Amino acid sequence: MSDMKRKLDRMMGDTSEQERRIKQGVQNRLRPSARKSSWKVAMVSLALPAIALLLFISMNPANLFSSDQGPGTPYDPLDDLARISAFQKKQQLSAVDVEEFAKLPNFDAVDGLYYVDPEPFSRKGSSETFHTVIERKADIYDRAAYQAGDVVRTMTDTTSHLPTYKDVYYEVIAVPGDRVKLQDGVLKINGEPLQTELMDRYKEHNVRIAGGYDQVLNAREYLLLNHFPADRTVQGATITPVHKIYGQVAGIATEERTTSIYMDYLVERQDGVYSPEQYFDLYLYDALLGDKRWPQPTALSNTTRLGELFVEASYRNVTQVAGNQIEIRYQYGREGVADRAFSMTQDPGSGQWMIEE
């Protein structure tokens, strides 16, 4: 026992028990209880997987919650193609409302970039025979030629998985730059469901839209749908290149009153005086849309671009070479695209201009 301890004992009495209690209290406070420790360990153990999952989701959210990533179930067009073709063969694909055309301008003459659609129709209360007038658009490769809502004609496009048909009037649904998504009959343009009079017509007449797309239309593509769908049919939404669109419906003409080389051709009346370019157009028209009454010149029969030559009329120039000879030259003004030239001569007897062989 130290001197200090002895002095304290003499002054305060024996303090051993008090010291023991103080020491025990300090030890108890410094040592955590087993119960508290086990609770904290359990909570940390439970939190670790949750934290790990949260970190994983934050780093790779698309992998867990997005169904648009990676391969999906591809659209198979074969069954829809068979149904659409069956309707078309039975002439049950469209229900054309010709009275809608009555709102269009009446053409007294059809020339230039305009031409007469060969399909005739009649109207109530009139004895005349009508045709729609189609406008071939200018500079189709240099700008967006058509707008959503335009009604157009096309040629049969057998290279598409859902074809278009020459005797169907189509409406432009989406234009270059639009994002098109069509899945299970639900059509969205730029992320929004399409809400137009045509969509109301499709819903009202129980018409299903066929096709499968999720893409942005390139600078020369348009999405088309039948403008006059028949009840309870399947209609193909077709992405169509601009050179397969023959033009926009611009008005109506009559066989009885409208002056046009096309109308004369349709009624088999060739007694007018026509320009070389008009004859050139008529050669193309006869091969593409007409009854193929004229012999096809070698210069045209050797090309696979008859449709393009007809649609690309705004890209050609006519030059007089001699008194009875002219040159028609397609000039596109684009690098890597060659000019295309044709020569025409005038028959002295009939006055008709013919494409040289």
Side-chain angles (χ1 to χ4, degrees):
M1 183 179 295
S2 66
D3 291 340
M4 179 63 69
K5 183 71 167 64
R6 291 190 189 96
K7 291 178 181 180
L8 287 173
D9 286 345
R10 285 195 299 267
M11 293 172 61
M12 303 179 62
D14 189 0
T15 60
S16 299
E17 184 62 25
Q18 186 177 1
E19 291 174 6
R20 187 188 65 77
R21 287 196 301 269
I22 292 172
K23 185 183 294 187
Q24 184 65 43
V26 171
Q27 290 177 350
N28 288 341
R29 285 194 296 270
L30 293 175
R31 183 175 64 246
S33 67
R35 182 178 180 182
K36 289 183 179 179
S37 177
S38 62
W39 176 82
K40 291 180 180 179
V41 170
M43 289 300 295
V44 171
S45 300
L46 290 173
L48 284 175
I51 293 172
L53 180 61
L54 182 61
L55 290 173
F56 181 74
I57 292 173
S58 65
M59 290 186 292
N60 300 278
N63 292 340
L64 292 176
F65 297 118
S66 176
S67 61
D68 295 332
Q69 300 297 319
T73 303
Y75 168 69
D76 187 348
L78 291 181
D79 290 341
D80 287 333
L81 178 58
R83 294 187 184 96
I84 293 170
S85 299
F87 282 123
Q88 177 68 9
K89 289 177 181 178
K90 297 177 183 178
Q91 297 184 335
Q92 297 174 344
L93 191 65
S94 300
V96 178
D97 180 9
V98 296
E99 295 307 312
E100 182 177 314
F101 297 142
K103 305 172 186 177
L104 298 172
N106 289 269
F107 277 67
D108 294 325
V110 177
D111 195 9
L113 293 179
Y114 296 94
Y115 70 94
V116 175
D117 191 282
E119 191 70 24
F121 63 91
S122 58
R123 291 182 53 208
K124 293 179 181 179
S126 176
S127 60
E128 295 181 309
T129 302
F130 292 86
H131 296 257
T132 51
V133 177
I134 312 299
E135 179 189 6
R136 292 170 288 180
K137 293 295 186 175
D139 307 325
I140 59 174
Y141 300 126
D142 302 291
R143 61 182 180 86
Y146 301 98
Q147 299 178 352
D150 289 348
V151 178
V152 300
R153 281 293 219 183
T154 69
M155 67 175 293
T156 299
D157 180 12
T158 56
T159 61
S160 173
H161 66 236
L162 292 175
T164 56
Y165 298 97
K166 288 189 292 186
D167 57 350
V168 174
Y169 289 91
Y170 289 93
E171 183 172 321
V172 176
I173 301 301
V175 300
D178 282 342
R179 182 177 295 277
V180 174
K181 184 169 184 179
L182 174 58
Q183 186 174 9
D184 299 328
V186 178
L187 177 60
K188 292 183 179 181
I189 308 297
N190 299 322
E192 298 294 333
L194 187 63
Q195 296 179 337
T196 63
E197 291 184 10
L198 182 61
M199 290 299 96
D200 293 340
R201 186 182 304 170
Y202 271 59
K203 184 177 180 180
E204 179 183 351
H205 294 279
N206 296 312
V207 179
R208 182 170 70 84
I209 302 175
Y213 307 106
D214 189 358
Q215 66 189 78
V216 176
L217 299 183
N218 72 33
R220 298 181 183 180
E221 290 180 331
Y222 295 82
L223 182 68
L224 308 180
L225 268 177
N226 191 343
H227 183 68
F228 296 111
D231 291 0
R232 303 181 184 279
T233 54
V234 179
Q235 301 288 337
T238 305
I239 294 178
T240 304
V242 69
H243 62 272
K244 298 291 185 181
I245 300 175
Y246 275 11
Q248 179 184 355
V249 178
I252 55 176
T254 65
E255 293 183 0
E256 292 78 11
R257 291 183 289 109
T258 302
T259 301
S260 172
I261 190 173
Y262 303 107
M263 203 68 82
D264 290 347
Y265 169 88
L266 292 173
V267 299
E268 300 187 42
R269 181 181 62 231
Q270 292 291 316
D271 55 1
V273 178
Y274 312 114
S275 70
E277 191 172 8
Q278 285 177 311
Y279 272 110
F280 185 82
D281 261 341
L282 198 58
Y283 273 106
L284 296 172
Y285 183 91
D286 175 69
L288 294 167
L289 305 171
D291 297 328
K292 297 180 175 58
R293 304 174 196 159
W294 294 10
Q296 192 72 6
T298 304
L300 295 182
S301 60
N302 288 341
T303 180
T304 59
R305 298 189 72 254
L306 286 179
E308 288 87 333
L309 293 176
F310 186 66
V311 171
E312 297 164 356
S314 68
Y315 288 98
R316 65 191 181 206
N317 296 299
V318 180
T319 304
Q320 188 85 27
V321 177
N324 66 339
Q325 185 177 13
I326 62 99
E327 179 189 72
I328 291 181
R329 178 175 293 272
Y330 286 81
Q331 295 178 298
Y332 301 95
R334 299 191 305 275
E335 186 177 354
V337 181
D339 291 356
R340 188 72 186 270
F342 299 88
S343 294
M344 299 188 72
T345 56
Q346 187 177 31
D347 180 79
S350 66
Q352 178 176 335
W353 287 87
M354 297 171 291
I355 300 175
E356 290 185 355
E357 299 296 335

